[in-house]
């Protein structure tokens, strides 16, 4: 499943259509499964129209956005001819994004969680609640955090370059968290963002 994104520099420069074509060329393919707007920077509205045009040609399986807040999505919905299939955003036990998740779910937009483990310095995997559940379930803290996201209805995108961790991250389909265990992780939400704030883009 091939996913790529429109970078902020191309969006700002008004060259979304060219950047899309460059992606096809660089990836050596004539079809991309999912193409996302990476950040809601100036010019994202025109970039969305460029994605819609390519989608209409049947060259993209789906189009979506990344790092869009509710107000960005509300604006998009006012003119979009194609509903975004996906919104990809930072989401983990310390930043649960409940209003955004609820909005997307109601609108039929699939949520994808990046940094679902809080990142390498996030502290999520060292949290006593996560570690306690991991010990109880005989699982890794990462598997607990990922399973929690799956049961919330999110697609999870954990990043790793180590084979053993990549394999471990897939081993979350043969167990489940109980309602009480889910509630324990739910209680960890403190709004702590480790990535960039989509409402204060300074890059």
């Amino acid at each position: 499943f091939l996913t790529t994104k429109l970078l902020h520099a191309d969006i700002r420069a008004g060259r979304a259509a060219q950047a899309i074509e460059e992606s096809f060329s660089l990836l050596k393919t004539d079809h991309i499964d999912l193409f996302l707007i990476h950040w809601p920077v100036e010019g994202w509205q025109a970039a969305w129209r460029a994605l819609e045009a390519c989608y209409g040609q049947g060259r993209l399986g789906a189009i979506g956005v990344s790092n869009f807040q509710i107000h960005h999505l509300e604006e998009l919905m006012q003119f979009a001819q194609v509903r975004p299939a996906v919104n990809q955003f930072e989401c983990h036990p310390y930043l649960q994004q409940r209003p955004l998740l609820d909005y997307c779910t109601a609108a039929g937009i699939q949520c994808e969680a990046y940094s679902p483990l809080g990142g390498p310095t996030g502290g999520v995997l060292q949290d006593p609640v996560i570690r306690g559940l991991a010990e109880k379930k005989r699982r890794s803290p990462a598997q607990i955090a990922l399973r929690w996201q799956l049961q919330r209805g999110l697609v999870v995108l954990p990043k790793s370059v180590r084979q053993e961790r990549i394999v471990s991250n897939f081993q979350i389909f043969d167990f489940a968290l109980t309602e009480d265990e889910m509630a324990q992780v739910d209680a960890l939400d403190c709004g702590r963002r480790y990535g960039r704030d989509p409402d204060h883009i300074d890059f």
Side-chain angles (χ1 to χ4, degrees):
F1 192 92
L2 186 60
T3 302
T4 192
K5 297 177 178 178
L6 278 173
L7 294 179
H8 55 280
D10 291 320
I11 295 171
R12 285 193 175 109
R15 60 182 311 277
Q18 298 95 309
I20 293 169
E21 295 304 321
E22 289 167 3
S23 291
F24 282 112
S25 177
L26 290 168
L27 293 168
K28 297 180 173 60
T29 184
D30 58 4
H31 187 271
I32 294 171
D33 296 299
L34 175 63
F35 216 123
L36 305 175
I37 289 178
H38 199 173
W39 290 93
V41 297
E42 300 84 359
W44 68 260
Q45 297 87 346
W48 183 257
R49 294 186 179 96
L51 283 178
E52 286 187 327
C54 192
Y55 175 80
Q57 296 167 2
R59 302 168 70 200
L60 302 177
I63 56 177
V65 295
S66 181
N67 297 297
F68 271 46
Q69 304 283 66
I70 291 174
H71 66 92
H72 299 121
L73 293 169
E74 288 176 335
E75 181 180 349
L76 175 59
M77 293 298 195
Q78 291 178 7
F79 70 87
Q81 299 298 306
V82 179
R83 182 186 303 272
V86 168
N87 185 19
Q88 183 187 111
F89 49 86
E90 181 183 356
C91 191
H92 47 75
Y94 287 175
L95 182 70
Q96 298 184 15
Q97 304 265 34
R98 291 172 190 159
L100 182 55
L101 176 58
D102 290 344
Y103 177 91
C104 290
T105 300
I109 301 170
Q110 176 63 54
C111 294
E112 289 189 356
Y114 72 75
S115 294
L117 306 179
T121 61
V124 169
L125 299 186
Q126 286 73 47
D127 188 276
V129 170
I130 300 293
R131 296 188 73 85
L133 289 172
E135 183 176 351
K136 176 184 176 183
K137 294 287 191 180
R138 297 184 179 179
R139 299 284 173 162
S140 70
Q143 288 172 330
I144 296 298
L146 295 175
R147 181 68 205 183
W148 170 77
Q149 294 275 42
L150 278 186
Q151 289 184 217
R152 298 174 77 214
L154 285 90
V155 172
V156 288
L157 301 171
K159 177 183 177 180
S160 181
V161 296
R162 293 174 55 180
Q163 181 177 351
E164 64 272 20
R165 286 184 179 172
I166 293 171
V167 171
S168 177
N169 288 341
F170 273 103
Q171 295 171 340
I172 57 174
F173 299 100
D174 59 347
F175 79 102
L177 299 176
T178 67
E179 186 175 329
D180 178 68
E181 291 165 344
M182 288 290 292
Q184 290 180 51
V185 183
D186 290 345
L188 298 177
D189 191 15
C190 57
R192 186 177 301 167
R193 186 184 297 277
Y194 295 103
R196 299 176 186 268
D197 186 343
D199 282 327
H200 298 90
I201 299 174
D202 57 358
F203 56 92

